[in-house]
Amino acid sequence: MKMRQTILMVVNYEKDNNSIGITKKIKGQIEALNSLGYHILTTAYLADGIEIYDYETKKQLVKKEYGTKSRRLQHAIRRALLLQMTKEWLKEENVKVDGIYIRYLYFDSLMLNLLKESYNKAIPVVMEIHSYPCLSFQFSWRGLYYILDKIFQNQCTRYITAFANMSENNLPFATGKKVVKIQNTVNLSDVGMRHPAQQADDTIQLLSVAYERPAHGFDRVIQGLHEYYAAGGKRNICVYFVGQYLQTTHELVNKYHLEHSCKFIPPVEGEELDYYYDHSDIAIGHLANHRIGSFSGSSIKIQEYMAKGIPFIYAWNEMTVPADYRYALKFELNDSPIDINKVISFYDSLGDMEMVAKEMRKEFSKNAGWEQQMGKVVQLMRGLQQ
């Protein structure tokens, strides 16, 4: 009987925090590869450290504690600990891995050392580029990531066998390497369809579910609200910001005295999150990816919106959203305020929201599921091993 092959997934996710989109995504990828016949080992962030564990047996293979109770310091060091621990574990003689799937975690000396160890053990490596470019230069400590990434990019890619590209952009560092295009998705069984609640008045409820980064561009919505009301707009607009948001976003709401229109909700999941989906009319997708030099790709949040059945606004060139898709309103990818009058017109054109939800979900189901996307990666890996 032929033994199943083992894939090590080097991924940066909080295994026990399902309120984060990346956790849902990576769990979906793990389950898909397992269903496709692979034995999966994976890295993960824990509350008190990092680990490598066996997905099937749930056995912890190795663990490294943070050594500090400071959440801020834990967040700062956990990536470095994860890469260092994984490299040291791979060096052990009894470790047998047939392939490695790495989510892009920036290029630096730590990533280079891990890739070299994989190369020394003749283990093929597929790196997922979840968007490209992923970084932009900033005049802050974050700018260091950008500089290191550029310095180590070519050195690291020498030891990467192939790439899984989630962007429509070509990867300049992948010349001569095999590349498969995949896209973000969700398993339909993991995302329940929303059931729109009847609104008591004519208020339009907007919904954002995010751990905010500048590329989200939520300031465009707040600026748009400010201009709409300053021009005498009469329609009531309420925005639920569910998740974690930048201090600058909170400050912008306060600056324009929009506290009555913008409600910040701490991260929630399950039935609590379903409540906000059911009581909202339009969701908010990425509006400013150009700030990191990215113009196209596949957003996991848009996939969730489509599976949930909630219409949305966005500005990125989404790989999975057809140009004539009637349940989405696309804005220009720039820094200008969102035209709230266009949002109102879009909402008024939608009709019965329960029917909208059913139609969106039915359309999305045709191409949904991580097995379909990770199946492309499996084919790539098989080709690398021949």
Side-chain angles (χ1 to χ4, degrees), residues 125-383:
V125 174
V126 176
M127 177 172 283
E128 175 193 297
I129 306 296
H130 41 85
S131 66
Y132 181 78
C134 301
L135 297 170
S136 63
F137 181 73
Q138 302 175 43
F139 287 101
S140 70
W141 64 270
R142 289 183 179 276
L144 179 62
Y145 289 130
Y146 178 87
I147 295 170
L148 288 173
D149 188 77
K150 293 301 180 187
I151 291 173
F152 285 93
Q153 187 177 90
N154 289 335
Q155 296 178 68
C156 285
T157 53
R158 285 174 55 196
Y159 301 101
I160 297 171
T161 320
F163 292 91
N165 184 10
M166 283 189 169
S167 166
E168 290 185 333
N169 299 320
N170 291 324
L171 306 177
F173 47 77
T175 304
K177 305 284 185 177
K178 290 187 177 181
V179 180
V180 63
K181 286 213 172 178
I182 64 172
Q183 58 198 38
N184 269 315
T185 186
V186 293
N187 293 329
L188 216 57
S189 59
D190 295 336
V191 183
M193 189 183 79
R194 79 189 194 103
H195 299 286
Q198 294 294 324
Q199 305 293 4
D201 54 29
D202 66 346
T203 298
I204 300 176
Q205 314 270 22
L206 304 185
L207 172 67
S208 162
V209 182
Y211 277 64
E212 187 184 11
R213 298 292 183 269
H216 280 106
F218 298 132
D219 54 292
R220 296 184 65 189
V221 175
I222 298 167
Q223 294 277 5
L225 275 175
H226 169 66
E227 291 192 359
Y228 173 72
Y229 286 124
K234 301 299 182 184
R235 198 75 169 262
N236 291 325
I237 309 294
C238 178
V239 185
Y240 292 124
F241 288 111
V242 180
Q244 289 186 359
Y245 290 83
L246 298 173
Q247 184 60 33
T248 52
T249 300
H250 286 267
E251 291 170 356
L252 196 60
V253 168
N254 294 334
K255 174 183 176 181
Y256 293 132
H257 306 293
L258 290 171
E259 294 88 349
H260 62 288
S261 295
C262 299
K263 311 296 183 184
F264 290 98
I265 314 296
V268 294
E269 56 183 286
E271 292 182 0
E272 290 181 273
L273 182 56
D274 286 341
Y275 172 88
Y276 291 102
Y277 272 111
D278 291 347
H279 287 78
S280 300
D281 303 301
I282 296 172
I284 304 171
H286 284 195
L287 298 171
N289 288 78
H290 65 287
R291 293 174 182 172
I292 58 170
S294 182
F295 299 91
S296 70
S298 173
S299 163
I300 192 70
K301 191 54 61 181
I302 291 299
Q303 309 308 303
E304 290 181 2
Y305 291 159
M306 295 170 80
K308 274 287 185 186
I310 184 169
F312 55 90
I313 63 172
Y314 71 114
W316 209 23
N317 291 319
E318 288 281 350
M319 295 166 64
T320 58
V321 180
D324 59 350
Y325 190 67
R326 68 177 296 258
Y327 301 119
L329 175 63
K330 186 177 183 180
F331 286 92
E332 290 293 321
L333 192 57
N334 56 35
D335 292 317
S336 63
I338 294 299
D339 188 335
I340 299 299
N341 285 308
K342 288 184 178 179
V343 177
I344 293 171
S345 296
F346 171 59
Y347 167 76
D348 289 339
S349 72
L350 291 169
D352 180 72
M353 282 296 194
E354 188 74 38
M355 185 60 67
V356 167
K358 291 178 181 178
E359 290 181 1
M360 289 182 70
R361 189 173 176 86
K362 181 180 178 181
E363 183 68 22
F364 179 72
S365 67
K366 296 176 183 177
N367 298 300
W370 274 114
E371 277 197 36
Q372 185 177 132
Q373 297 305 316
M374 298 311 288
K376 301 175 187 177
V377 175
V378 165
Q379 288 183 342
L380 177 64
M381 283 187 162
R382 286 174 179 164

Side-chain angles (χ1 to χ4, degrees), residues 6-10 39-43 52-54 60-62 85-100 114 117-118 120-123:
T6 298
I7 293 178
L8 170 65
M9 295 188 67
V10 182
H39 176 215
I40 305 301
L41 310 178
T42 180
T43 62
I52 300 174
Y53 77 101
D54 187 311
Q60 189 176 80
L61 304 178
V62 61
M85 179 191 72
T86 305
K87 177 216 163 191
E88 293 300 325
W89 179 77
L90 276 176
K91 287 179 68 174
E92 297 178 13
E93 289 186 12
N94 64 329
V95 170
K96 303 297 181 184
V97 173
D98 299 293
I100 298 177
L114 171 58
E117 188 58 42
S118 305
N120 290 339
K121 298 195 77 169
I123 305 172

